[in-house]
Amino acid sequence: MSRRSGILEFAVLGLLRESPMHGYELRKRLNTSLGIFRAFSYGTLYPCLKTLVASGWLIEEPSGDPADTPPASSLTGRRAKIVYRLTAEGKEHFEELLSHTGPDAWEDEHFAARFAFFGQTERDVRMRVLEGRRSRLEERLEKMRASLARTRERLDDYTLELQRHGMESVEREVRWLNELIESERSGRDQRRSSPEGSAQQDTSGETGGLPRRRGDTPPDPSDDTAK
């Protein structure tokens, strides 16, 4: 399995954990909610769905919406729309994927998909993924600075400006990650100091670690200039 197909399977399982969907609705959610998949087509999505069905992680069901079912006398040959539903095994597999915090979770596209499902991820796992991503970007930033220092004199003004833009993109994401990590830590510390803290259980849907800011959009991890 390629890394990109693995990310797509992860995202499909995550969306279907929220609710069953038609293939068209799934593609629309992938395109709008998870911008990293905006270039995916039906030709890519449906083989992925078939693979997940064959693995026992999804089942196909006819739509229960009468508007999606053609009349019995129809001669068009159209079939009722298929709804994809997560199985118990599929939910268990997705939860296992959510718990992974290794280097793959820190890479650009995989991190974007993981972050999109942070609302379903346990706080300790979110922290490990965020810290791993920050570490990866700090390594990248160090290499970019070293490379710029070696080649500065040989670059024209436009190439030099592009290099600076790439560095600024990485620096901006590192600052964003620092804010997220601090917010996660603050939320955890607040619960520990609360009188009811010992009775509270960390739920995967908790979003208390997300900073509340106006007019501030998170950096796009798939931005080519940040590589």
Side-chain angles (χ1 to χ4, degrees):
M1 180 193 304
S2 70
R3 174 179 295 178
R4 193 163 176 81
S5 63
I7 297 172
L8 178 59
E9 290 184 7
F10 171 83
V12 167
L13 291 172
L15 289 175
L16 291 177
R17 190 190 188 199
E18 299 174 3
S19 66
M21 297 184 202
H22 305 301
Y24 173 77
E25 186 179 3
L26 257 176
R27 180 173 179 256
K28 186 166 63 173
R29 288 288 306 277
L30 288 167
N31 287 340
T32 57
S33 302
L34 308 174
I36 56 174
F37 296 109
R38 53 186 172 267
F40 272 85
S41 65
Y42 284 115
T44 304
L45 176 58
Y46 280 102
C48 172
L49 290 170
K50 294 299 182 184
T51 297
L52 294 175
V53 169
S55 299
W57 296 329
L58 302 182
I59 56 174
E60 297 176 323
E61 298 177 338
S63 172
D65 187 347
D68 293 333
T69 306
S73 59
S74 173
L75 300 179
T76 61
R78 292 172 56 241
R79 297 184 300 169
K81 286 185 178 179
I82 297 297
V83 172
Y84 295 91
R85 183 185 300 274
L86 198 65
T87 64
E89 293 80 5
K91 181 179 180 181
E92 182 178 346
H93 178 62
F94 178 69
E95 290 174 349
E96 179 184 350
L97 294 176
L98 276 181
S99 69
H100 291 176
T101 60
D104 280 351
W106 313 338
E107 300 299 337
D108 293 342
E109 289 187 347
H110 207 155
F111 174 76
R114 289 299 303 270
F115 190 81
F117 294 100
F118 262 24
Q120 303 181 41
T121 306
E122 292 183 358
R123 183 181 295 271
D124 288 344
V125 174
R126 294 197 301 258
M127 280 290 292
R128 290 196 293 271
V129 172
L130 290 172
E131 290 172 342
R133 174 65 177 175
R134 181 177 63 181
S135 175
R136 178 58 48 86
L137 289 183
E138 287 173 342
E139 292 173 1
R140 182 183 300 173
L141 192 58
E142 184 178 348
K143 291 178 181 178
M144 293 174 74
R145 287 169 175 161
S147 175
L148 184 60
R150 290 193 308 268
T151 60
R152 180 188 300 271
E153 299 301 325
R154 300 195 300 270
L155 299 177
D156 61 57
D157 290 343
Y158 296 100
T159 304
L160 183 61
E161 191 61 31
L162 184 62
Q163 294 288 325
R164 287 172 176 163
H165 175 65
M167 289 177 55
E168 290 171 0
S169 298
V170 178
E171 290 169 343
R172 184 170 63 251
E173 186 174 348
V174 169
R175 290 194 299 270
W176 174 65
L177 290 166
N178 285 336
E179 293 179 8
L180 289 172
I181 291 169
E182 182 59 32
S183 295
E184 293 282 357
R185 287 175 177 162
S186 299
R188 182 169 56 190
D189 292 343
Q190 287 173 5
R191 282 202 317 283
R192 285 176 176 172
S193 62
S194 171
E196 298 84 12
S198 59
Q200 292 180 355
Q201 188 175 16
D202 189 12
T203 59
S204 62
E206 184 179 1
T207 57
L210 188 63
R212 305 296 183 183
R213 298 187 296 270
R214 292 184 179 179
D216 188 12
T217 57
D220 184 359
S222 62
D223 186 353
D224 289 339
T225 62
K227 295 182 181 179

